[in-house]
Amino acid sequence: MLTLVEHPEPRHGEGECLIRVHASGVNRPDVLQRKGLYPPPLGVSEIPGLEVSGVIESGDQRALDAAGFRVGDAVCALVAGGGYAEQCVAPVAQCMPVPACWTLTEAAAAPETFFTVWSNLFDSGGLQAGDTVLVHGGASGIGTTAIQLAVWAGARVWVTVGSAERAAACLALGADGATNYRDQDFVEQGLAFTQGRGFDLILDMVAGDYIARNQQVLAEDGRLLVIATQGGRDARLDAGLLLRKRQRISGNTLRPRSLAFKAAIARQLRERLWPALAAGQGRVAIKPRVCAVLPATPAALAH
């Protein structure tokens, strides 16, 4: 059960800052942590919350100077825990300035999804203009972010969703098409969309029996990027297809990765994507899509 309680005021250490929290993002890992299935790393606050937005109250001056921040700046930050609070300590290297075109509330929903999508599609997947991308769970936080960033990078995007309403929402963000997995086959439709070639990249949060089906619709030299196992951990792999089509399968979970790894993603986002946000580049405005805003007291309702 989630209950609002009093905690001692957190204090920042070397390389860190203290943020007066405006809003906290809500993610599936928060739900898993509440259920006891996703414990925080050793030494991390047991308070849930992996992303926040707010204003810097104090911090390690050397780290702030190196990142170009000052006390009073509006930032959003990826944290390993502690986000569901009035104040939160964050590594300065994992903070990003809030774009002028975003509200503070929108910014709170950005770090977890933007870091995850960038590290998978761009770092691991090597996404290039002209690529075709399949995004499972297209209407999710990860999915809506993946659509926007892939389209911004010049890719063509197909998604899987669970309803016509969600399909319409994804198309409005720039997706080229959608499969309603409740009564349609993404393999058949994906092969038709790519004219039999298959997708260059697939972003998969399902796993389970989707792995074998992903292989069927993955192009030669295609990359399958697995980021969650909502469909189960056991999967069948066609090793022959893997060899013949030179397919690559990788897995990635963000929370336990090192500070250096996350800091590198933050730098890439600030250097490559943030200028595009300021310039208004893209078919639609790139920003987190917020479906609901709730007060902190009934946080369990968000879960």
Side-chain angles (χ1 to χ4, degrees):
M1 172 180 278
L2 292 176
T3 305
L4 197 64
V5 298
E6 292 288 336
H7 275 265
E9 180 177 313
R11 297 184 179 277
H12 68 80
E14 184 177 354
E16 297 176 331
C17 65
L18 182 66
I19 297 172
R20 171 65 61 175
V21 176
H22 172 84
S24 309
V26 177
N27 294 276
R28 183 173 292 272
D30 301 338
V31 179
L32 296 177
Q33 179 174 328
R34 182 190 44 124
K35 292 180 175 181
L37 302 175
Y38 194 54
L42 187 65
V44 171
S45 171
E46 294 186 355
I47 299 171
L50 301 177
E51 55 185 355
V52 299
S53 67
V55 174
I56 296 175
E57 284 198 333
S58 61
D60 177 345
Q61 194 60 52
R62 180 176 297 180
L64 291 175
D65 290 343
F69 291 127
R70 290 186 284 186
V71 170
D73 282 351
V75 296
C76 56
L78 182 74
V79 294
Y84 290 10
E86 293 178 313
Q87 295 173 303
C88 178
V89 170
V92 173
Q94 291 173 205
C95 294
M96 297 181 294
V98 174
C101 53
W102 292 3
T103 67
L104 270 172
T105 299
E106 289 170 339
E112 178 71 13
T113 59
F114 276 65
F115 275 62
T116 298
V117 169
W118 191 273
S119 66
N120 281 277
L121 288 187
F122 293 87
D123 276 357
S124 298
L127 176 64
Q128 300 289 328
D131 282 346
T132 53
V133 182
L134 172 61
V135 179
H136 291 301
S140 67
I142 292 290
T144 54
T145 301
I147 293 168
Q148 294 177 82
L149 297 195
V151 169
W152 164 74
R156 300 174 65 214
V157 182
W158 194 271
V159 299
T160 62
V161 293
S163 70
E165 179 184 21
R166 295 184 179 192
C170 293
L171 295 178
L173 291 177
D176 295 278
T179 295
N180 185 337
Y181 59 77
R182 299 189 188 281
D183 55 20
Q184 297 173 318
D185 179 15
F186 74 80
V187 174
E188 178 184 348
Q189 293 193 338
L191 288 174
F193 172 66
T194 60
Q195 300 181 321
R197 179 179 175 275
F199 292 98
D200 297 296
L201 294 95
I202 300 178
L203 187 61
D204 179 25
M205 59 190 76
V206 183
D209 63 6
Y210 267 42
I211 297 295
R213 296 169 67 194
N214 284 329
Q215 280 194 273
Q216 295 175 40
V217 75
L218 194 62
E220 290 187 357
D221 298 305
R223 289 84 76 197
L224 170 58
L225 310 158
V226 182
I227 61 172
T229 57
Q230 295 177 25
R233 299 171 63 178
D234 295 330
R236 184 180 66 83
L237 183 70
D238 186 333
L241 195 57
L242 185 76
L243 294 171
R244 288 195 306 275
K245 300 184 78 172
R246 302 177 302 281
Q247 297 173 337
R248 286 192 289 143
I249 302 176
S250 65
N252 186 6
T253 183
L254 186 60
R255 191 179 196 181
R257 299 300 295 264
S258 68
L259 171 60
F261 177 85
K262 297 173 186 175
I265 299 173
R267 283 196 302 272
Q268 291 180 53
L269 287 169
R270 290 184 66 176
E271 292 171 2
R272 296 177 58 185
L273 181 62
W274 256 227
L277 302 180
Q281 294 177 6
R283 281 192 242 164
V284 295
I286 300 173
K287 63 179 181 179
R289 262 47 192 187
V290 177
C291 69
V293 180
L294 299 172
T297 304
L301 292 177
H303 286 207

